[in-house]
Amino acid sequence: MLLKQALLIENLKKSFGNNEALKGISLSVEPNEIFALIGPNGAGKTTALRIVAALLTPSGGRVEVFGNNVRERPDRVREIISYLPEEAGAYKNLTGNGYLRFMGELFATQRRELDDFLQRARDICGLGDRLNDKIGTYSKGMVRKLLLARALMTRPRLAILDEPTSGLDVINALEVRNLIKGFAREGMSVFLSSHNMLEIEYLSDRVGIIHQGIIYDMGTPEELKGKYGSSNLEEVFAEVAR
Ligand code: ATP
């Protein structure tokens, strides 16, 4: 049997009033693949991620997650994805543990599954005893790791991560990148956006460069560097976005 693509996007369009945020983008993400969208501010990255996460309705085109159309089966899509928003907050009056339990209970079907989720979340966030403290007392980086743990604890088939390491220091960012890579090796597919070219180069199997709602180029980091005669992705990006 042919394995279904983790994500299929065909001619995806999204307008906000007269503003065409996405002008017909197409791409696919294979099972186990880490695919990154890079592009300048306002390029349409978050819009694309939010549509895949079944949070925004497309104006046109087709989006399927493991063969499930996001318009026709949004509930099924929500069951198999996790979405980490760029500007996410968590309930400040809950403790880290309380938050993870609250979120875990929404997804777990049995007690044992919930325990698995919580154990995995604790391992991912590495916050230790601080999980007993209220989230309002956490640093920005701690909140980010808690949210990432929430997103990955359910072992989604497709993780949609908007700027996963935003606000993290070098060491924590590195840890998070390794975590994402590890999860992908174990079978998770990832669709992410980032402004950090080093991160993209380190993490992604393939990259799509988006600018003004259009995908200008796509390929492995090596392919793109070769094509533009650049030593790093930052130069490729600057060339394409010019
Ligand atoms: P950044 O790197 O700054 O996060 P981005 O590539 O994620 O940018 P989007 O947030 O997808 O860009 O925005 C793409 C375009 O769509 C922008 O022109 C933005 O103003 C517009 N847009 C996004 N969300 C909305 C909304 N809810 N209502 C109206 N316009 C929106």
Side-chain angles (χ1 to χ4, degrees):
M1 198 180 78
L2 207 65
L3 257 186
K4 286 207 171 76
Q5 279 155 324
L7 173 63
L8 177 72
I9 297 183
E10 270 180 7
N11 198 23
L12 176 61
K13 295 181 181 168
K14 178 68 185 176
S15 297
F16 297 101
N18 292 329
N19 181 1
E20 277 186 285
L22 296 174
K23 297 176 181 147
I25 66 166
S26 299
L27 61 91
S28 62
V29 181
E30 302 302 319
N32 284 33
E33 191 179 32
I34 302 181
F35 187 102
L37 269 187
I38 60 176
N41 292 130
K45 302 180 295 296
T46 297
T47 302
L49 266 58
R50 286 174 59 82
I51 290 173
V52 176
L55 292 169
L56 265 184
T57 316
S59 310
R62 186 156 73 114
V63 178
E64 287 181 5
V65 179
F66 286 100
N68 298 288
N69 189 300
V70 291
R71 270 209 239 202
E72 291 160 12
R73 310 192 66 198
D75 291 342
R76 176 66 191 135
V77 169
R78 289 185 194 112
E79 278 170 18
I80 55 177
I81 58 127
S82 262
Y83 174 57
L84 175 70
E86 184 183 3
E87 294 285 337
Y91 308 102
K92 290 193 169 16
N93 283 323
L94 286 181
T95 63
N97 271 327
Y99 171 73
L100 291 172
R101 178 169 293 278
F102 173 71
M103 297 306 284
E105 279 169 353
L106 297 178
F107 289 91
T109 48
Q110 324 160 11
R111 180 59 200 260
R112 237 184 71 197
E113 196 178 22
L114 177 63
D115 290 342
D116 283 351
F117 287 173
L118 295 179
Q119 188 53 53
R120 192 171 303 121
R122 288 185 199 110
D123 292 344
I124 294 172
C125 70
L127 290 171
D129 289 345
R130 291 300 308 269
L131 282 172
N132 299 319
D133 297 338
K134 282 195 176 170
I135 295 171
T137 68
Y138 289 7
S139 72
K140 213 161 76 178
M142 290 166 75
V143 174
R144 198 71 187 150
K145 287 180 88 176
L146 183 73
L147 291 169
L148 187 82
R150 186 272 300 155
L152 300 185
M153 71 180 175
T154 55
R155 281 188 182 274
R157 292 177 72 191
L158 176 70
I160 304 159
L161 309 175
D162 204 349
E163 294 272 345
T165 60
S166 108
L168 295 182
D169 64 36
V170 177
I171 305 291
N172 280 300
L174 217 102
E175 244 178 53
V176 165
R177 281 175 210 143
N178 283 330
L179 256 164
I180 295 171
K181 264 197 155 169
F183 270 78
R185 250 181 254 122
E186 288 171 18
M188 186 176 78
S189 310
V190 183
F191 184 44
L192 63 86
S193 86
S194 177
H195 285 291
N196 184 332
M197 300 297 147
L198 205 75
E199 169 163 307
I200 296 286
E201 229 174 306
Y202 178 75
L203 256 188
S204 337
D205 300 307
R206 276 188 311 134
V207 177
I209 303 177
I210 185 170
H211 184 32
Q212 295 175 343
I214 292 168
I215 293 201
Y216 276 82
D217 220 330
M218 207 171 347
T220 66
E222 287 311 313
E223 280 167 0
L224 290 173
K225 284 189 289 183
K227 183 168 172 186
Y228 291 88
S230 309
S231 58
N232 60 61
L233 269 186
E234 225 149 56
E235 287 173 11
V236 173
F237 178 73
E239 183 67 29
V240 175
R242 214 198 308 243

